[in-house]
C-alpha cells in the first residue's frame, strides 16, 4: 500500500479552505492525503520485482540488496528516493533530477549494512520532492528461517 502525505501546513490548508468557503458560501473539508494527491504531478508505484520483502536466513557478512520503484508523471524539482528505518538506523538515498516520464522511470536505491541482530524489520521506501511524500513499508527478516 502506498501512503501519500503532504508537508503543507495545517494553517495553509485551513486558510485555503476558508477562502474557498467564502467564495461558495459553504465550508468543505478534505483529507490531507486527498490534498497531497491533487497537488502531486508524479506518483511512486511498485517496481520490479513487486515483492521486495527480503529475508536473510543465513549469516552473510553484511546485508546487501536494493529497492526500486517506478516514478511516473512530471516533476520540476528533484525527487529524493530512499529507504529509511533499516536495521541499525541506516538509511540510503538517491536523487532523480527534474523531468518527466511517459512510460517508466525506475528509481533504485541500494543498501549495504553490517549484519544486524535477528529479527523482523520494517524499512520504509519513499520518494519526496519536498512538498509531497509517497511511501511504502517493506519487511526485512534477518537471521530467522525464511
Amino acid at each position: 500500500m502506498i501512503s501519500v502525505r503532504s508537508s503543507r501546513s495545517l494553517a495553509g490548508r485551513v486558510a485555503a479552505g476558508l477562502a474557498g468557503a467564502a467564495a461558495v458560501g459553504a465550508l468543505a473539508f478534505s483529507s490531507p492525503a486527498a490534498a497531497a494527491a491533487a497537488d502531486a504531478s508524479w506518483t511512486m508505484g511498485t517496481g520490479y520485482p513487486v515483492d521486495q520483502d527480503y529475508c536473510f536466513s543465513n549469516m552473510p557478512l553484511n546485508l546487501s540488496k536494493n529497492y526500486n520503484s517506478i516514478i511516473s508523471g512530471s516533476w520540476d524539482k528533484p525527487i529524493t528516493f530512499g529507504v529509511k528505518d533499516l536495521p541499525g538506523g541506516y538509511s540510503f538515498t538517491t536523487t532523480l533530477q527534474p523531468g518527466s516520464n511517459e512510460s517508466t522511470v525506475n528509481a533504485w536505491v541500494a543498501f549495504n549494512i553490517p549484519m544486524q541482530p535477528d529479527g523482523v524489520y520494517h524499512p520504509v521506501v519513499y520518494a519526496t520532492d519536498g512538498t509531497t511524500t509517497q511511501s511504502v513499508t517493506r519487511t526485512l527478516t534477518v537471521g530467522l528461517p525464511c
Side-chain angles (χ1 to χ4, degrees):
M1 175 200 275
I2 296 176
S3 65
V4 178
R5 291 173 282 144
S6 174
S7 60
R8 285 193 334 194
S9 71
L10 177 60
R13 288 193 307 267
V14 170
L18 291 175
V24 298
L27 182 59
F29 292 96
S30 65
S31 72
D39 292 345
S41 58
W42 59 271
T43 58
M44 181 182 95
T46 56
Y48 175 81
V50 173
D51 180 10
Q52 294 181 65
D53 293 336
Y54 297 120
C55 181
F56 294 90
S57 61
N58 54 9
M59 299 300 285
L61 296 176
N62 59 51
L63 307 177
S64 181
K65 288 286 185 181
N66 61 59
Y67 289 105
N68 70 309
S69 196
I70 297 169
I71 306 296
S72 59
S74 63
W75 51 98
D76 57 2
K77 299 185 283 186
I79 294 177
T80 299
F81 180 75
V83 59
K84 62 183 181 177
D85 300 336
L86 283 162
Y90 289 91
S91 64
F92 296 89
T93 62
T94 190
T95 302
L96 299 174
Q97 294 305 314
S100 64
N101 163 21
E102 294 182 15
S103 57
T104 302
V105 170
N106 286 307
W108 294 84
V109 64
F111 68 91
N112 187 347
I113 59 178
M115 194 61 189
Q116 297 294 313
D118 292 358
V120 178
Y121 301 89
H122 300 284
V124 175
V125 179
Y126 68 93
T128 183
D129 64 8
T131 302
T132 299
T133 299
Q134 299 179 19
S135 62
V136 62
T137 301
R138 298 293 185 189
T139 301
L140 175 62
T141 305
V142 176
L144 302 174
C146 294

